[in-house]
Amino acid sequence: MKLSFFWSRALLSSRLLLWPLFICNLLGTVYGYIWYDAQLRETWLTHPHWRIIFVPDSPTASLFFTLSLLFLLFPKRLGRFGGVRRLLEGLAVVTSVKYGVWAVSMIFAGAYQGGDLGWQDWMLVGSHLAMAVEALLYVRLFRFGTGMLITAGCWTLLNDTVDYTYEVYPWLPRTLWDDVSSVMVFTFCLTLASVAAGWLALKGAGRTKAEF
């Protein structure tokens, strides 16, 4: 077990893996913001401008994780930004798990109610599942503690509140338009579940003290 753990840690921290992972996540983040282009434009034109930061949920989660990888690639150069690093890591874990699972759930829920599944949907399923998995895998290399995990959870709950109070949640499949109330409940519960998943990952890494 110990040999397996150290081998996995060595693999995850290898620059031969970190660089491709960083590039893939960076490209995915850019693509995600492009994907939200129409909703971003509509929100900018029809809502107070401050709400726009709450619109692109998945690409922002991907951005948190991508930036967190920079601290693993350049630990010495970025060492003085320890507080920023821990905040980004906490946000990366909670939001990547939450929106990774959320997007997949919405795609399949929409299909279950009669929607079509195209190649883009399957691409989104694969990429969003990868978001959740990679975030939990890298907890063992991240430095945030329970305090920052709770902070990230509070931010994500605020995001949920803004989304469903001002109707800036991600656009849903047409077949789910009459299920927004149920989607809202699921979304809030998933945020709490994502914090719990992050805490279990911290526990597995032996870091459950209330530290930031």
Side-chain angles (χ1 to χ4, degrees):
M1 179 65 75
K2 289 185 177 180
L3 288 176
S4 175
F5 172 80
F6 283 113
W7 177 84
S8 298
R9 185 181 180 88
L11 176 65
L12 292 175
S13 61
S14 168
R15 297 176 73 85
L16 291 177
L17 178 62
L18 286 173
W19 271 116
L21 196 62
F22 172 79
I23 293 170
C24 287
N25 276 274
L26 179 61
L27 293 176
T29 299
V30 173
Y31 177 79
Y33 283 114
I34 294 173
W35 179 274
Y36 271 89
D37 178 65
Q39 187 174 359
L40 288 168
R41 289 175 182 272
E42 180 180 300
T43 302
W44 186 261
L45 293 174
T46 60
H47 289 262
H49 292 170
W50 63 267
R51 295 178 190 168
I52 201 167
I53 64 173
F54 296 98
V55 172
D57 294 336
S58 291
T60 301
S62 178
L63 177 63
F64 290 146
F65 185 78
T66 302
L67 293 175
S68 296
L69 290 177
L70 281 177
F71 287 92
L72 296 178
L73 284 164
F74 305 104
K76 292 184 179 180
R77 292 184 184 180
L78 301 177
R80 57 179 173 171
F81 302 108
V84 175
R85 172 180 180 169
R86 291 187 292 274
L87 176 60
L88 287 171
E89 290 172 347
L91 288 167
V93 171
V94 173
T95 59
S96 293
V97 173
K98 186 265 182 72
Y99 294 116
V101 174
W102 187 91
V104 173
S105 299
M106 293 304 106
I107 290 171
F108 285 136
Y112 179 76
Q113 296 196 31
D116 296 325
L117 279 178
W119 70 268
Q120 285 184 318
D121 296 304
W122 288 109
M123 179 269 292
L124 291 172
V125 166
S127 61
H128 282 79
L129 283 178
M131 283 175 57
V133 171
E134 67 184 6
L136 291 175
L137 281 176
Y138 272 87
V139 167
R140 69 187 67 182
L141 298 184
F142 288 164
R143 295 182 179 177
F144 72 96
T146 306
M148 203 60 80
L149 183 71
I150 293 173
T151 300
C154 290
W155 164 259
T156 310
L157 287 172
L158 173 63
N159 197 348
D160 296 341
T161 302
V162 173
D163 277 357
Y164 293 94
T165 299
Y166 300 110
E167 297 185 348
V168 291
Y169 50 82
W171 286 347
L172 298 168
R174 185 180 297 271
T175 53
L176 296 180
W177 285 2
D178 58 348
D179 297 312
V180 174
S181 296
S182 298
V183 171
M184 177 182 67
V185 173
F186 174 75
T187 299
F188 276 91
C189 291
L190 187 56
T191 294
L192 298 177
S194 299
V195 174
W199 184 84
L200 289 173
L202 279 179
K203 184 178 181 181
R207 301 199 320 274
T208 54
K209 294 183 179 180
E211 57 186 7
F212 285 85

